[in-house]
Amino acid sequence: MARFLTWWVTGIFPGCCNQLESLFKSSESRRQNITQWFDKSLAWTGAGAPPAGFVGFEGRTAAQPGTYHERVFPIRLDSLRADGIKNLDLKVERIFPIKPERGINARFSVDLLNATNHTNFSGPNLDPTNTNFGRVTSQRGLSRVIQFNLRVDF
C-alpha cells in the first residue's frame, strides 16, 4: 500500500528526531481507535513546564514559536505517513446497433467509482496545540458513485 508523507506544522520538539518513530506508537493507537493515528500524549498540554526527561511536542499555545522564528523541525517525517488511496473503479459498456447500415449506434455504460466503497482517510491533525492532535477527522475522496451514461453515435 502506498503511503504519503505527512506535512508537519511548526512546533517545538525537545528531543532527537530519530526517536520519533518509537514515540508515535502508531500501531498501538490505531489498534484501539482507527481514527487515532498516533499517541496524542506525545504533546505536553499540562500546566507549567514539561517534566524532566519529557520527549515530545510542546502543546501549549502560549509556548509556541512566533512567526518570525526560523523553522528547525523537518516539514515531513518519514516515520509517520498517511494512508494511500485505495480505489477500484469499474466501467461496464454495451453497444446497441440502431441502424448499423448508417453507423448509428447507442452506447450505454455504467461507471462505478470506488466500487468497493472503501473509506480513504486523510492524514492526522499535526498541530500539537489542537485537541484533535494525532486524530484523523476527515476522509479523502468520495464514497461509491454510480453513473449511468447514454451516448448516441451517428
Side-chain angles (χ1 to χ4, degrees), residues 85-90 112-118 120 144:
I85 296 177
K86 291 188 255 180
N87 269 355
L88 176 64
D89 298 335
L90 299 173
L112 298 166
L113 307 174
N114 192 7
T116 59
N117 204 22
H118 177 76
N120 295 299
R144 182 184 301 131

Side-chain angles (χ1 to χ4, degrees), residues 23-130:
L23 292 172
F24 282 132
K25 301 178 189 167
S26 288
S27 57
E28 296 169 26
S29 297
R30 290 193 74 194
R31 198 174 307 122
Q32 295 171 4
N33 181 353
I34 195 162
T35 63
Q36 189 66 43
W37 202 262
F38 56 87
D39 188 12
K40 66 180 182 179
S41 66
L42 190 60
W44 174 256
T45 56
F54 174 77
V55 178
F57 292 96
E58 178 60 68
R60 298 171 296 170
T61 306
Q64 294 301 306
T67 56
Y68 54 87
H69 285 109
E70 183 177 341
R71 181 185 185 102
V72 292
F73 193 77
I75 293 174
R76 293 175 293 244
L77 299 173
D78 192 39
S79 56
L80 182 69
R81 294 176 178 248
D83 263 344
I85 296 177
K86 291 188 255 180
N87 269 355
L88 176 64
D89 298 335
L90 299 173
K91 180 177 185 125
V92 179
E93 184 175 67
R94 172 86 193 260
I95 300 173
F96 299 97
I98 297 175
K99 290 190 177 183
E101 65 278 356
R102 290 186 164 194
I104 299 175
N105 298 315
R107 291 175 185 250
F108 178 75
S109 64
V110 177
D111 295 331
L112 298 166
L113 307 174
N114 192 7
T116 59
N117 204 22
H118 177 76
T119 303
N120 295 299
F121 291 111
S122 293
N125 184 312
L126 300 175
D127 182 3
T129 62
N130 193 313

